[in-house]
Amino acid sequence: MFESTPDLSSHRFVRACLRQPVDRTPVWFLRQAGRYMPEYMAVRRHHTLLEICKRPDLAAEVTITAAEKLDVDAAIIFADLLLPLECMGLDFEFQAGEGPVIHKPLRTGADVDALKTTRTSELSYVGEAIQRVAAHFHGRLGMIGFCGAPFTLASYMIEGGGSRNYIETKKLMYRQPDAWRRLLDKLVIVLREFAAQQVAAGADVIQIFDSWAGALSLPDYRDFVLPAARMLVREVQAQGVPVIYFGVDTASLLPAMRETGADVLGLDWRTPLDQAWRGLDYACAVQGNLDPITLFAEPELIRRRVHQILAQAAGRPGHIFNLGHGIVPGTPVENVQAVVEFVREYSPALSPVEARHG
Ligand code: CP3
């Protein structure tokens, strides 16, 4: 059926996800298409964020432009974490300067029961955009699809937007554990189908964003979040692709996050990469972990930090270079491009043998 498609398992990005040896460390960036990039802003001037997400021609264009301009090894489809909320029956909008606002946040067991799980086909525009990007790159770059993790999406549904202390989310979790479980179960149903659409459209890898998992204590993560996250990871892997599981501020959670069985864990910058990887017994691949704000520094400091991260990875199979979180508005584009050059410059020199002697 896919005779004309090149063997994607040989792409260095996919190989690194599977901890197979690569010719050089693959690199891409969280939020590589975004407001720091003039080409994105040019499209954004004429269209809202949701219009770009919902028009496969525009979503494909901004995805391709960013990946080509940065010369990275993978393209992440332009979309947003919150898109599945709409087809579950929660309307939201992005308000300028304030981030997302969910009009009627979810607070009760009855609200959970009203959520719909049978309208995921309404998200087909994401798959259509992936098809366009995959056809454009034709296997030259890895194609990343993504979705939110159950906890992080639940937190937006319940808080109604971003949050500092996640009080409403944790209240539902602690005080209505049955409703909490039903909510996460419903999210897993929708998200696995959403991921399956993206895989069918040509995604080589799915990244699951549990961006705010770091707000949880380890016992709360284990009791209330890990089971649903593990189920989603397993179900996406059963679709035949590796899974990257990503969170921020997760140093103490990483070994538990590893229990999801994800192929790759995203690392933030607060823990040195070698320390985090050793703590995982090198049992999965890792992605990271430059502080995105380092991109505002002089090139010499950026170069040093890139070199340090690659030296810590020490040429072990299974490192994907990235930031610890997304590129922020105002980041100089040339510094992002410089990181790609530094990764190329340094990574072949760090074969495992040299790293052992050096
Ligand atoms: O290049 C890429 O990384 C793909 C595009 C992408 C977007 N959102 C587009 C976007 C991705 C991967 C996301 C994921 C996403 N969305 C996350 C998880 C990633 C993370 O940061 O941990 C979250 C939490 C969201 C929800 C969301 N979307 C928020 C909180 C905001 C507002 C914050 C902000 O930066 O303003 C958005 C808006 C958003 N999504 C923008 C982009 C490019 C910027 C807004 C715009 O263009 O108007």
Side-chain angles (χ1 to χ4, degrees):
M1 184 166 138
F2 297 114
E3 297 89 356
S4 60
T5 311
D7 178 16
L8 286 172
S9 67
S10 65
H11 191 278
R12 70 173 69 81
F13 167 69
V14 180
R15 290 181 62 85
C17 290
L18 297 168
R19 285 188 293 152
Q20 294 168 355
V22 287
D23 55 346
R24 60 173 174 74
T25 305
V27 52
W28 69 280
F29 299 93
L30 294 161
R31 281 282 163 92
Q32 63 193 23
R35 283 167 297 179
Y36 76 105
M37 193 174 265
E39 290 84 349
Y40 173 74
M41 288 314 290
V43 178
R44 189 67 178 76
R45 261 191 292 282
H46 301 106
H47 304 280
T48 66
L49 173 62
L50 286 178
E51 271 167 15
I52 302 174
C53 291
K54 291 181 179 184
R55 275 192 41 190
D57 58 333
L58 295 176
E61 179 193 325
V62 299
T63 303
I64 292 166
T65 304
E68 289 186 338
K69 181 157 180 167
L70 300 177
D71 194 19
V72 283
D73 293 299
I76 181 163
I77 192 60
F78 191 88
D80 195 82
L81 211 63
L82 302 183
L83 298 172
L85 267 54
E86 224 169 34
C87 72
M88 296 182 78
L90 291 183
D91 287 332
F92 67 92
E93 62 186 308
F94 285 98
Q95 289 182 355
E98 296 196 30
V101 177
I102 287 95
H103 295 142
K104 209 178 149 295
L106 180 153
R107 292 289 156 84
T108 67
D111 292 342
V112 173
D113 294 333
L115 289 174
K116 299 171 180 66
T117 57
T118 55
R119 286 174 24 192
T120 313
S121 60
E122 290 172 16
L123 295 168
S124 61
Y125 52 84
V126 177
E128 283 170 41
I130 287 178
Q131 270 174 354
R132 286 170 186 250
V133 178
H136 177 86
F137 287 120
H138 209 69
R140 280 183 289 122
L141 267 66
M143 178 78 232
I144 306 170
F146 74 89
C147 64
F151 168 76
T152 291
L153 274 186
S155 81
Y156 277 103
M157 292 172 139
I158 297 165
E159 302 292 338
S163 177
R164 181 178 293 267
N165 291 317
Y166 299 92
I167 295 170
E168 296 302 329
T169 307
K170 291 184 181 182
K171 259 163 64 183
L172 191 93
M173 190 171 94
Y174 296 137
R175 298 168 68 131
Q176 303 186 64
D178 287 342
W180 176 257
R181 238 185 327 270
R182 292 203 304 282
L183 170 58
L184 265 51
D185 285 348
K186 283 189 154 184
L187 280 163
V188 170
I189 291 169
V190 170
L191 295 169
R192 72 170 177 223
E193 192 179 327
F194 184 33
Q197 290 169 6
Q198 298 183 56
V199 172
D204 303 312
V205 171
I206 295 288
Q207 173 150 328
I208 299 177
F209 284 90
D210 217 349
S211 303
W212 313 138
L216 295 159
S217 70
L218 179 57
D220 281 350
Y221 178 80
R222 281 193 179 285
D223 288 353
F224 296 109
V225 172
L226 174 59
R230 182 197 290 129
M231 186 171 305
L232 181 61
V233 167
R234 295 275 150 91
E235 299 216 6
V236 176
Q237 286 170 329
Q239 295 160 11
V241 293
V243 168
I244 305 171
Y245 182 44
F246 168 83
V248 184
D249 232 337
T250 53
S252 63
L253 301 181
L254 287 172
M257 291 173 74
R258 161 70 197 137
E259 290 174 33
T260 58
D263 301 273
V264 187
L265 286 187
L267 305 178
D268 69 65
W269 62 94
R270 293 176 182 86
T271 318
L273 184 132
D274 51 351
Q275 191 180 315
W277 210 357
R278 204 178 321 120
L280 293 162
D281 298 325
Y282 305 106
C284 61
V286 291
Q287 176 171 283
N289 69 341
L290 185 69
D291 178 349
I293 310 306
T294 306
L295 295 171
F296 289 87
E298 295 292 333
E300 271 317 300
L301 180 62
I302 300 175
R303 173 193 287 276
R304 210 154 67 232
R305 293 288 178 263
V306 169
H307 186 245
Q308 282 166 339
I309 290 168
L310 289 167
Q312 289 174 7
R316 273 184 207 87
H319 175 226
I320 298 144
F321 196 98
N322 206 313
L323 306 172
H325 204 176
I327 298 176
V328 302
T331 299
V333 177
E334 62 273 18
N335 287 355
V336 187
Q337 291 167 320
V339 170
V340 175
E341 281 167 30
F342 297 150
V343 172
R344 301 235 161 106
E345 191 179 322
Y346 286 124
S347 63
L350 286 166
S351 71
V353 174
E354 285 180 66
R356 263 199 302 280
H357 293 96

